[in-house]
Amino acid sequence: QVQLVESGGGSVQAGGSLSVSCVVSGMTYRSGCMGWFRQAPGKGREGVAGIYIGTTVTHYADSVKGRFTISQNAAGNTMYLQMQSLKVEDSAMYYCAVDRRTCVASITYPDGVDHWGKGTQITVSS
């Protein structure tokens, strides 16, 4: 059984930085995507960033390009999201996930993602 547990997050002022991490267990995928998604109140779930399992190849939503960086550890069981120049509109519940599809598919169509964490809240104030 795949389990994902997020940690980090919290509150920060606009322009600040935050990092979140996600420990993945029970995953047997050798390919696919590990990614971060977010959902703000009253909005649908949005793909933020993805990294292909076992690689350094990444894919980002246009809204976070140049500000967010996704990475994974060498063992492939932990992924990270470093967020800089945070904006008020980045406020949301952030979820990590794993998916058998490509990162382009995962980030673009998050409803089809296979496994989700429970989320961690990030709040950016002005």
Side-chain angles (χ1 to χ4, degrees), residues 14-93:
S17 301
L18 276 176
S19 294
V20 289
S21 60
C22 173
V23 176
V24 184
S25 60
M27 185 179 71
T28 58
Y29 301 176
R30 290 294 179 261
S31 63
C33 185
M34 301 170 68
W36 289 95
F37 301 78
R38 65 188 181 188
Q39 187 166 20
K43 295 188 177 181
R45 197 164 290 190
E46 173 191 16
V48 173
I51 185 166
Y52 286 91
I53 293 170
T55 78
T56 57
V57 180
T58 57
H59 179 73
Y60 295 93
D62 288 343
S63 58
V64 305
K65 276 181 184 176
R67 301 189 298 122
F68 290 13
T69 303
I70 187 172
S71 60
Q72 62 181 314
N73 68 346
N77 58 9
T78 305
M79 66 173 126
Y80 309 93
L81 186 68
Q82 296 175 299
M83 300 170 283
Q84 298 177 323
S85 303
L86 282 160
K87 304 176 182 180
V88 172
E89 52 264 42
D90 292 320
S91 298
M93 185 71 78

Side-chain angles (χ1 to χ4, degrees), residues 100-120:
R100 288 184 177 90
R101 299 176 298 167
T102 66
C103 286
V104 172
S106 298
I107 298 304
T108 306
Y109 306 107
D111 287 346
V113 167
D114 292 328
H115 303 283
W116 296 94
K118 293 184 178 180
T120 185

